[in-house]
Amino acid sequence: TMLGALHKDPSGKVYDVKIEAGSARYPLGVALNLPNETFNGWNNQLPMLSIVFGLLGLMGISFLIARGIFQPDSGSQSVLRALRNGSIIPYYQPVYCIASGDLIGFEVLARRKGRNGEMLSPATFIPIIEKNGWDDKLLEVLVRDAAKNMESIFEGAQMATLAFNVTPRQISQEGFVNWFIGLLGETGLPSEGIVLEVTEREAIGNLATLQKNISILRDFDVTIAIDDVGTGHNGLSSIHQLRADYLKIDKLFVDGIVMDKHASSLVKMLIEIGAQYGMQIIAEGVETEEQLQALGDLGVDEVQGFYMAKPMPALDAIRELAHHRKVRTRVMLSDGLKSNPLRRRNQTAFAS
């Protein structure tokens, strides 16, 4: 509300003009006090209506500024709007098998579109999502988009996989499995083509529920991976506690694998531990040919990183997979024909 009044002292003398703005929603009040002499001076020079509108405008601006101080966190609200309006979208980074060279799947990474169309770093919104407990909202956005735009990767003799990140808190919720399996059923994504990567950004809380959920997810043929091993809250204990199918070696260790013998030793140790638990080993953040060679020599099974391919939109990812499969088919046909005795005999006959 906005009020204007002439104030008098106990003797009845007019001494001031006071205009106030208050709010029933916020504990705020903004007041503007004018000496009576000043007000009378303005009144003699300007029409009263102009003065009133000017004062009301000033009070409105002051009130809005004060009200803004008590608004909810604009960063959180901005991220929540982005989750709801489609500004947060998935990008897909290819994962390759070192032994065969095949493109075997994609990690699904969240990206946010800025006002000018640029892609914002995940560091600007992922922590806010996790802090506010919106992990499931993000996962649902990514799953639904992938189901709509990436369904063709599950076709053919060799099904590619999609890997989604989940936090320990998220996957250890009592209702998570039913919700997630229901989401896969609703969207049509095959559970046998899904990998859930448990991140190391927070400590494992309810271990018993987490282990139970992982066991049930495995019954539905969902693959479990431990992401960022050795860099987060749980250290190596997560390898023993989760008994996952995949162990992912973080870029932190990959960066120094060529020049730093300690980094190389750590990677070798992780590979050996993973092998003892029957886990496949993935290295992420591969950026050079030398790193790729070193990882292969140490026994890493799969790799991803800028050296092979950067994260890309869905259409580019589908094209990349289609092109890769076409090239692999040509190579296999070429190798098969070269080793075919009938082809060699025909070549000899033509040569003679």
Side-chain angles (χ1 to χ4, degrees):
T1 59
M2 295 187 177
L3 302 172
L6 297 180
H7 291 260
K8 301 180 180 180
D9 62 17
S11 66
K13 180 181 179 181
V14 177
Y15 69 91
D16 193 19
V17 174
K18 183 177 183 180
I19 301 178
E20 296 180 330
S23 170
R25 182 178 179 185
Y26 297 94
L28 298 172
V30 182
L32 177 64
N33 292 281
L34 294 175
N36 195 45
E37 294 80 4
T38 303
F39 186 81
N40 288 334
W42 287 357
N43 191 34
N44 293 331
Q45 299 178 33
L46 296 171
M48 175 60 73
L49 190 61
S50 299
I51 295 175
V52 172
F53 279 114
L55 292 175
L56 290 177
L58 179 61
M59 290 304 301
I61 294 172
S62 301
F63 179 69
L64 291 174
I65 293 173
R67 186 176 182 270
I69 297 174
F70 289 88
Q71 284 184 335
D73 179 4
S74 60
S76 294
Q77 291 302 309
S78 174
V79 171
L80 184 57
R81 285 194 299 271
L83 281 168
R84 291 172 173 170
N85 65 22
S87 295
I88 293 180
I89 61 174
Y91 265 40
Y92 303 87
Q93 185 167 37
V95 179
Y96 299 88
C97 173
I98 289 184
S100 66
D102 289 334
L103 196 169
I104 57 176
F106 299 89
E107 181 178 3
V108 186
L109 303 167
R111 295 291 185 265
R112 182 183 177 187
K113 292 184 287 188
R115 293 182 178 179
N116 298 319
E118 75 281 10
M119 288 299 164
L120 305 178
S121 167
T124 64
F125 62 92
I126 293 295
I128 295 176
I129 288 175
E130 294 181 351
K131 176 184 176 182
N132 286 279
W134 298 332
D135 316 73
D136 286 352
K137 295 181 185 294
L138 174 62
L139 181 58
E140 182 173 356
V141 165
L142 300 180
V143 168
R144 289 190 181 279
D145 193 287
K148 183 170 60 177
N149 295 310
M150 295 288 286
E151 60 181 356
S152 63
I153 74 168
F154 300 111
E155 299 171 356
Q158 183 181 3
M159 176 187 293
T161 61
L162 289 177
F164 298 90
N165 288 290
V166 293
T167 65
R169 176 186 56 189
Q170 185 179 10
I171 197 174
S172 62
Q173 295 172 357
E174 285 289 348
F176 176 80
V177 173
N178 289 338
W179 171 79
F180 184 69
I181 296 301
L183 179 62
L184 294 182
E186 180 185 342
T187 57
L189 288 181
S191 57
E192 63 271 24
I194 301 300
V195 180
L196 289 181
E197 298 185 2
V198 184
T199 66
E200 286 275 283
R201 288 191 290 269
E202 62 185 30
I204 295 174
N206 191 338
L207 178 60
T209 304
L210 177 58
Q211 290 174 330
K212 180 187 72 174
N213 284 353
I214 286 177
S215 177
I216 298 173
L217 286 166
R218 280 212 183 101
D219 290 341
F220 282 96
D221 296 322
V222 175
T223 300
I224 304 296
I226 303 174
D227 197 15
D228 310 324
V229 171
T231 65
H233 287 79
N234 303 303
L236 299 180
S237 64
S238 59
I239 298 176
H240 177 71
Q241 293 171 336
L242 302 187
R243 305 296 177 96
D245 305 291
Y246 278 88
L247 183 155
K248 294 196 73 173
I249 297 175
D250 189 74
K251 184 179 185 298
L252 175 68
F253 300 119
V254 173
D255 283 344
I257 193 171
V258 177
M259 303 298 296
D260 186 348
K261 64 179 182 179
H262 298 295
S264 180
S265 298
L266 284 171
V267 171
K268 185 177 181 180
M269 179 194 71
L270 291 173
I271 292 171
E272 291 174 350
I273 293 174
Q276 292 177 12
Y277 280 87
M279 303 168 72
Q280 295 283 101
I281 310 298
I282 306 176
E284 56 186 350
V286 180
E287 296 184 347
T288 68
E289 183 178 356
E290 291 76 18
Q291 290 174 346
L292 178 61
Q293 182 64 49
L295 292 167
D297 292 342
L298 288 173
V300 170
D301 300 296
E302 300 170 11
V303 289
Q304 65 185 91
F306 283 15
Y307 177 68
M308 287 76 63
K310 295 181 180 181
M312 59 190 73
L315 183 58
D316 292 340
I318 292 172
R319 288 171 176 168
E320 176 70 17
L321 180 60
H323 174 74
H324 185 86
R325 285 176 171 173
K326 184 181 295 185
V327 171
R328 291 292 297 164
T329 300
R330 289 173 179 172
V331 171
M332 291 172 61
L333 287 173
S334 177
D335 290 345
L337 289 173
K338 288 178 182 177
S339 60
N340 190 315
L342 179 60
R343 180 177 183 275
R344 289 201 301 269
R345 186 165 59 251
N346 289 340
Q347 285 181 328
T348 304
F350 283 125
S352 60

